[in-house]
Amino acid sequence: MTLVLMGNPNVGKSVVFSRLTGSEVTSSNYSGTTVEYTKGKMKIAGQTAELIDAPGTYSLTANSKAEEVAVDMLQYADVVINVVDATNLERNLNLTLELLAHDIPVVIALNMWDEAQKRGITIDVEKLSDELGVPVIPTVATKAQGFSEILRAVRNPSVSPIEEMGSQERWNHIGSIIEKVQTISPREPSLLERLETLSVLPATGLPMVAVVLYLSFLIIRTIGEGAIAYITEPFFEYLYMPVLMQLSNLFGGEGIFHDILVGQLIEGEIDFEQSFGLLSTGIYIPLAAILPYIFSFYLVLSLLEDIGYLPRISVLADNVMHRVGLHGFSIIPMILGLGCNVPAALATRVLEGRREKFITSTLMAIAVPCMAQIAMVVGLLGAFGGKYILYVFGILLWIWLLVGIILDRVLPGFSTDLLLEIPPFRIPSFSTLFRKLWLRMIGFLKEALPFLLSGVLLVNILYALGIFDLINRAAGPFLQNAFGLPTEALSALMMGFLRKDLAMGMLAPLGMTAKQLVTASVVLTIYFPCVATFMVLFRELGALDMLRSAGVMIISALFVGTFVNYTFHDGGFTIVGWVLAIGILLAAWFLPSRSERPSSEDEGIRQPDMQR
Amino acid sequence: MQTTLNRMQTNHIGEVVDVRGGRTFRSKLDAMGIHRGRSVYKMGGSVWGGPITVRLNGCLVAVGRGMAERILLEVEDS
């Protein structure tokens, strides 16, 4: 038997899902699409049934890829469990009536039942069930209330007599149902409801975003650094190191296999960050250095997501994002990128237009340094004074705007309008949160681990073939002239393809000036994404767009590196530098635009699925 | 008086009389609950051309400017 969970976005569908299923949950792409969905197993009357969590959808008229998938999943359903938000019955019934018109048995879970009562909403469940012709069960998914009744109803489901109707007729019918079953007693809005409103108004919402983001990064860093210092590093140093040393001795401490597997010994010891063997650096970097940050980052992100805060950031950012040819939702990959560029590249998936995907990915890869790199920039430049750190981020923001504006002007097409439901704030369910976190970590390891290992292997081969030396000699003089960087900085820059923070670390012993460090930091961020991000982008964008994107990156890096070298003197930009920087931005602004407003009747609108 | 969601005064209620656009556009708004006969409350605050936030039967929906231009409402003369 196959059960399909359907409902609007933000109705607690995934909490219902995790309440009904056991530990056997898999997340995968729907065949032929990039839309992700989760599937699990459950027991009904001693028999195993499959439960599919369809993407959230507002109607069965598929208006986006995710909605298409949801509609397509209906054909597999023996019974549909329609999750309905009791606090927002009217809007939710639209999908319900559409579902009921199909010849499939439906059971309705009237979720957020407690929240509805708190908000003074009373619903006559029996009357509603009579009106719809199918069982209606009030549930509180976060507190596991109502689930035995759901299981009972699923065993003897019924098909509703409701027929297909037109949109106007449907809304009229919903209106009459609401009148019969729902009463709302007016009362003062609670503190939380006031916050819900204040958080979307610019005057109060923007300061809130600043505080939330600042706190988020503080928490991410604290947990990430803590996990590295107290869990992963000790594990590798004290437990893994002796095993690896044994292996090294077995090989006799040298030889090509030794160097590929264990890496070069540094002063007779394995150095996890510099040895560059598959089993040393190749394993250490993703598991010991990145995974803790991925964990803490996804923890905070999932929390913000489940509370219902992310759509608010999208709405507030929409205006700025429009200037660079995007809409508010593209802010999510940018924020994700500050944690790690890999999940950010994955998140571009929910953007539907090719233009939007291209601009978002390119801007993210160019101007958004990941958490590990930020930490190194702060560490290295902090010694020279905080203002240099600000310069690095200022320059990155500038190139983000510049490239964004130019791409918006040059690429044909238009930036689509935002249409987004802003869900109420909700108290997250921790079991659902940790399950989601687990799936995401597994997903990250599956995505990034193979690439990092092949990256380390590639570096080894290039090193052994002497290709690094060759590039060094060829490009070194150019680096010196254009960027004002010592030739030794080149190997660090190339290492950036593997890991940006490691590359920053290689700059440390070169004794560079503050200005050189500023140049190197921005060039390192801009010129190319790290190998794991590159591979994900390659898959998401396709070969042609990735090539174009890479072109934009390299040109931007050359431009910014040279610009900083020639206009940054004595701890700041010269007046000419400032005038040029602003002038270039303005010139880009007035570029003739090839992007046109949609003249056709059907405007492409995006309803990104916030559940992922 | 008829006006568009764009021009309508903030902190006021209007009743949707028409959504101008193609089938897909209308169907998207319809699914979000914005359809003929629905009363919406326009919230204040989006000053720099950002999306307009409206409240309709208990939930908040952000609507981009381009779209808001095509939503026609009937408001009481003030």
Side-chain angles (χ1 to χ4, degrees):
Chain A
M1 186 153 107
T2 304
L3 301 160
V4 175
L5 272 179
M6 291 201 75
N8 286 185
N10 313 309
V11 295
K13 218 157 45 66
S14 49
V15 190
V16 172
F17 178 80
S18 64
R19 286 287 179 210
L20 287 173
T21 52
S23 55
E24 252 182 86
V25 173
T26 50
S27 177
S28 46
N29 283 358
Y30 196 65
S31 64
T33 68
T34 51
V35 177
E36 231 167 63
Y37 75 103
T38 32
K39 201 162 74 169
K41 293 220 168 16
M42 58 186 281
K43 278 246 170 353
I44 302 173
Q47 285 193 316
T48 315
E50 193 174 56
L51 184 69
I52 298 176
D53 189 6
T57 175
Y58 291 104
S59 82
L60 292 184
T61 334
N63 289 323
S64 70
K65 270 190 225 153
E67 295 195 349
E68 264 168 43
V69 169
V71 175
D72 202 51
M73 282 172 171
L74 269 184
Q75 59 178 312
Y76 304 112
D78 294 311
V79 180
V80 170
I81 301 177
N82 176 208
V83 185
V84 165
D85 178 359
T87 65
N88 197 353
L89 187 59
E90 191 165 358
R91 219 258 333 275
N92 277 249
L93 281 182
N94 184 50
L95 175 69
T96 305
L97 288 194
E98 283 188 319
L99 273 173
L100 294 180
H102 279 66
D103 215 15
I104 306 171
V106 174
V107 172
I108 292 173
L110 196 55
N111 200 23
M112 316 254 175
W113 184 247
D114 56 340
E115 194 57 30
Q117 284 171 327
K118 254 186 246 161
R119 295 190 184 219
I121 300 167
T122 329
I123 297 167
D124 187 330
V125 179
E126 246 164 69
K127 244 191 222 166
L128 182 62
S129 172
D130 287 344
E131 287 287 331
L132 300 175
V134 293
V136 178
I137 294 125
T139 58
V140 184
T142 46
K143 292 178 192 153
Q145 284 172 20
F147 286 91
S148 48
E149 288 88 337
I150 292 270
L151 289 178
R152 211 172 303 142
V154 166
R155 263 178 273 166
N156 359 282
S158 50
V159 177
S160 166
I162 284 176
E163 302 278 326
E164 180 112 34
M165 43 188 129
S167 141
Q168 200 61 43
E169 194 190 343
R170 194 163 49 237
W171 283 113
N172 290 342
H173 191 64
I174 291 170
S176 75
I177 294 176
I178 291 291
E179 215 161 279
K180 282 180 218 162
V181 306
Q182 181 179 276
T183 42
I184 300 177
S185 40
R187 58 192 178 105
E188 280 290 293
S190 67
L191 182 69
L192 204 61
E193 283 168 70
R194 268 176 227 251
L195 263 179
E196 279 166 13
T197 315
L198 290 177
S199 63
V200 283
L201 304 176
T204 40
L206 286 175
M208 265 166 84
V209 169
V211 172
V212 168
L213 288 186
Y214 175 76
L215 285 178
S216 299
F217 283 110
L218 207 67
I219 296 170
I220 290 166
R221 210 178 127 69
T222 312
I223 297 179
E225 288 296 321
I228 290 174
Y230 295 108
I231 301 171
T232 61
E233 251 178 18
F235 175 83
F236 271 81
E237 286 297 328
Y238 299 117
L239 289 173
Y240 188 60
M241 179 75 94
V243 180
L244 205 58
M245 261 334 264
Q246 291 270 327
L247 186 74
S248 170
N249 291 336
L250 221 63
F251 277 113
E254 55 188 10
I256 176 121
F257 287 112
H258 175 272
D259 285 359
I260 286 179
L261 285 178
V262 185
Q264 317 265 341
L265 296 186
I266 288 155
E267 288 165 17
E269 301 257 337
I270 294 168
D271 183 325
F272 281 123
E273 294 197 338
Q274 290 177 42
S275 286
F276 262 90
L278 284 179
L279 294 177
S280 55
T281 311
I283 297 276
Y284 176 86
I285 286 175
L287 295 184
I290 304 184
L291 198 63
Y293 264 110
I294 294 291
F295 167 79
S296 63
F297 183 75
Y298 273 146
L299 176 72
V300 172
L301 181 82
S302 307
L303 203 62
L304 287 181
E305 201 171 46
D306 288 2
I307 287 172
Y309 195 71
L310 288 189
R312 292 171 160 79
I313 303 181
S314 292
V315 169
L316 289 166
D318 187 58
N319 179 38
V320 178
M321 302 305 277
H322 257 284
R323 310 281 176 241
V324 294
L326 298 171
H327 76 56
F329 192 72
S330 295
I331 191 78
I332 306 295
M334 303 296 170
I335 295 176
L336 285 174
L338 289 171
C340 170
N341 283 10
V342 175
L346 283 171
T348 61
R349 222 175 244 189
V350 294
L351 305 170
E352 291 198 350
R354 182 178 166 198
R355 181 181 195 261
E356 241 162 282
K357 237 177 145 168
F358 178 78
I359 300 181
T360 308
S361 310
T362 309
L363 288 185
M364 191 278 296
I366 283 184
V368 180
C370 66
M371 187 60 78
Q373 195 189 350
I374 294 173
M376 290 301 293
V377 170
V378 171
L380 273 183
L381 275 169
F384 291 93
K387 73 172 179 181
Y388 291 106
I389 300 170
L390 285 182
Y391 272 121
V392 169
F393 289 107
I395 295 165
L396 289 176
L397 184 65
W398 176 71
I399 192 72
W400 184 87
L401 274 172
L402 184 63
V403 174
I405 292 170
I406 292 175
L407 287 180
D408 180 46
R409 298 292 190 271
V410 174
L411 294 176
F414 56 89
S415 56
T416 51
D417 254 357
L418 186 82
L419 179 63
L420 194 67
E421 183 193 356
I422 306 167
F425 282 141
R426 287 194 173 125
I427 294 154
S429 143
F430 284 94
S431 59
T432 314
L433 191 109
F434 281 109
R435 182 185 287 218
K436 188 156 68 177
L437 192 61
W438 176 249
L439 283 176
R440 281 179 160 171
M441 305 252 294
I442 297 289
F444 167 77
L445 285 180
K446 271 199 223 150
E447 295 283 347
L449 202 58
F451 296 138
L452 269 159
L453 286 178
S454 29
V456 169
L457 191 66
L458 189 74
V459 168
N460 272 318
I461 292 168
L462 290 181
Y463 191 82
L465 294 177
I467 294 183
F468 269 143
D469 274 347
L470 210 70
I471 298 176
N472 247 340
R473 245 173 288 150
F478 171 77
L479 199 71
Q480 214 157 13
N481 289 329
F483 297 165
L485 296 178
T487 38
E488 295 92 333
L490 194 66
S491 7
L493 285 182
M494 279 194 292
M495 193 53 62
F497 182 54
L498 206 58
R499 263 201 84 189
K500 303 251 174 152
D501 58 331
L502 215 64
M504 285 296 297
M506 286 170 68
L507 294 174
L510 298 184
M512 303 206 295
T513 62
K515 174 186 164 175
Q516 283 175 324
L517 275 174
V518 169
T519 315
S521 302
V522 292
V523 169
L524 191 59
T525 309
I526 298 168
Y527 88 104
F528 217 71
C530 69
V531 61
T533 312
F534 174 80
M535 294 309 286
V536 176
L537 283 179
F538 187 83
R539 217 186 47 204
E540 296 295 320
L541 293 177
L544 181 69
D545 274 2
M546 185 62 236
L547 207 66
R548 290 164 62 197
S549 185
V552 176
M553 292 168 195
I554 291 167
I555 293 170
S556 308
L558 290 177
F559 169 67
V560 174
T562 318
F563 184 81
V564 174
N565 184 28
Y566 285 100
T567 58
F568 196 91
H569 291 295
D570 303 327
F573 280 107
T574 56
I575 297 187
V576 180
W578 280 106
V579 171
L580 271 176
I582 294 166
I584 292 169
L585 212 52
L586 279 177
W589 185 256
F590 289 109
L591 269 180
S593 178
R594 275 180 68 195
S595 67
E596 70 271 2
R597 284 305 299 168
S599 53
S600 68
E601 287 288 83
D602 280 328
E603 183 167 358
I605 311 151
R606 307 279 176 256
Q607 284 173 328
D609 183 4
M610 303 298 293
Q611 310 269 323
R612 268 170 288 138
Chain B
M1 187 188 72
Q2 283 202 354
T3 180
T4 63
L5 182 57
N6 241 359
R7 298 213 194 110
M8 180 180 158
Q9 272 184 296
T10 55
N11 300 318
H12 275 66
I13 294 176
E15 191 188 300
V16 179
V17 289
D18 197 13
V19 175
R20 287 182 186 158
R23 223 171 48 85
T24 319
F25 176 63
R26 287 219 304 268
S27 125
K28 287 201 170 183
L29 286 177
D30 184 88
M32 300 283 274
I34 301 174
H35 56 91
R36 209 174 293 167
R38 162 77 60 214
S39 287
V40 301
Y41 173 81
K42 179 174 174 178
M43 305 218 325
S46 59
V47 268
W48 323 287
I52 291 163
T53 311
V54 296
R55 186 183 279 284
L56 52 126
N57 61 39
C59 64
L60 296 175
V61 177
V63 185
R65 290 269 159 179
M67 264 183 253
E69 254 169 49
R70 296 131 160 264
I71 300 171
L72 241 69
L73 305 115
E74 179 71 42
V75 290
E76 275 178 38
D77 293 301
S78 49

